[in-house]
Amino acid sequence: MAQVPEKQKSLAALKKEHGSKVIGEVTIDQLIGGARSVKCMLWETSNLDPEEGIRFRGLTIPECQAVLPTYSGIQGDGEPLLESILWLLLTSEVPTKEQVDSLTQDLYSRSKLPDHVVPLLKSLPKDMHPMTQFTIGLNACQTDSQFAKAYASGAPKTQYHEHVLEDVLGVIAKCPEIAATIYRNIYFDGKVEKDTSLDYSGNFCRMLGYDDKSFDELMRLYLCIHTDHEGGNASAHTTHLVGSTLSDPYLSYAGGLNALAGPLHGLANQEVLKWIQDLKAKFDAEGKEVNAQTITEFAWETLNAKKVIPGYGHAVLRKTDPRYTCQREFGLKHMPDDELFKVVDTIYQVMPGILKEHGKVANPYPNVDSHSGVLLWHYGFTQFQYYTVLFGVSRAVGALSQLYWDRALGLPLERPKSVTPEWLWAQAKK
Ligand code: NMX
Ligand code: MLT
């Protein structure tokens, strides 16, 4: 990567000339409250503004949709290819279609799973959660780690990022087959059919067992928008933290997947579908329509039972997530009359008001997970316990692009300071 020496120099100069500059302070609220807004991580690949949402290397989602190569090859004609966003995140440059096509081939050349992985996945109980299976599958691929081998044979620190890049691309290349094997094993006949004449997302759809051009487009959109959400989210942060110990990218991202599997993070996408199914079941049984009034009733039941409304709220965002908005636009274009799509829209009309009235939530608007499930459901992808695996295939691209830069920039072991309650009380009384 040609930019590495220049970026290394710039960071070294920043540290040398301005290292002691104070850029913030930390309150006791922030310390107890999950470090919200504490600026303490360097993240190259994306940035999240509370009002505007995500920018990937400076580009908003609509800007990415306008300039990144698509399957037809024409920018703006369809959704961006996952490979184009990978190129953008890794290099900060908008790729050409030729560059993207060469990256697709490069990923296919690295996609073979070690021989023990498919038999291992097939040996797992079918009722083991798909995310647990995903981390097992990815951990088992670690036998292919180039970085671990190079480190063991004494590679110098200055070359770490070159070996890490091999693994970053290796993990991203292998994730679709691990994920598809899990899906086909749990819900179908275990057979995975590839079509490597297609792009990464199209081939992934065939491996999952879907052959529908409109679903391919949804997968392209889905995989692009879930890639990165700056560094502080739990899956990206975990990947960065584990990687800072010089654990290789396979082990680091398996750590990230474990964080993604929590219901306050990526698992919320399955929880949203479950919430909607529970709502429908209740009102169908009572002979009532699902409408603004019954949704409001069900939302208050959830809140009064001290449970969260899945898919609403965010640790950073203070407006509707632009990832929600672009999925809504996809729905309006491809399935405007779909029953569940309309339910999600009605939820969107009433939920912010309910959450404002409830009075606790800092952000009463929907996040990415609020919309993704119903779009999948429309195409017959109804196994919602699996949805977070799709998020996991995508998040590899952002978290691991940054992991490459972590090593290229020589970032050290992450080791923040903890304090005791006694120390905090002593500070409070000063
Ligand atoms: N429903 C009910 N209560 C909520 C919700 C919600 N959707 N969101 C926040 N709250 C509560 C929260 O539990 C907290 O209560 P308490 O004081 O009793 O602990 C209070 O409101 C203040 O929390 P916030 O400061 O608004 O949110 P925080 O930054 O702590 O948490 C989330 C952010 C995303 C964890 C939270 O909004 C949530 O639990 N949302 C539902 C789960 C979800 O959709 N997660 C997916 C996030 C996106 N992703 O993909 O990761
Ligand atoms: C994410 O995409 O990681 C989520 O929106 C959570 C976050 O940013 O904290």
Side-chain angles (χ1 to χ4, degrees), residues 63-83:
E63 285 165 358
C64 285
Q65 287 172 314
V67 302
L68 291 176
T70 61
Y71 187 65
S72 75
I74 303 161
Q75 281 96 328
D77 175 23
E79 302 301 338
L81 294 174
L82 185 272
E83 298 88 318

Side-chain angles (χ1 to χ4, degrees), residues 36 263-266 268 303 307-315 318 323 355 358 360-363 367-369 391:
R36 289 296 178 283
L264 296 187
H265 191 16
L303 292 168
K307 294 191 277 186
V308 295
I309 307 288
Y312 276 77
H314 200 274
R318 294 295 174 260
R323 301 172 298 177
L355 288 172
H358 187 237
K360 270 168 91 176
V361 182
N363 174 39
N367 60 57
V368 66
D369 297 319
F391 194 156

Side-chain angles (χ1 to χ4, degrees), residues 48 54 225-236 260 264-266 313-317 321 323 367-369 391 395:
L48 184 63
I54 194 66
I225 62 176
H226 287 81
T227 48
D228 211 22
H229 218 226
E230 73 169 29
N233 69 77
S235 50
L260 193 68
L264 296 187
H265 191 16
H314 200 274
V316 180
L317 285 167
D321 191 334
R323 301 172 298 177
N367 60 57
V368 66
D369 297 319
F391 194 156
R395 182 54 52 95

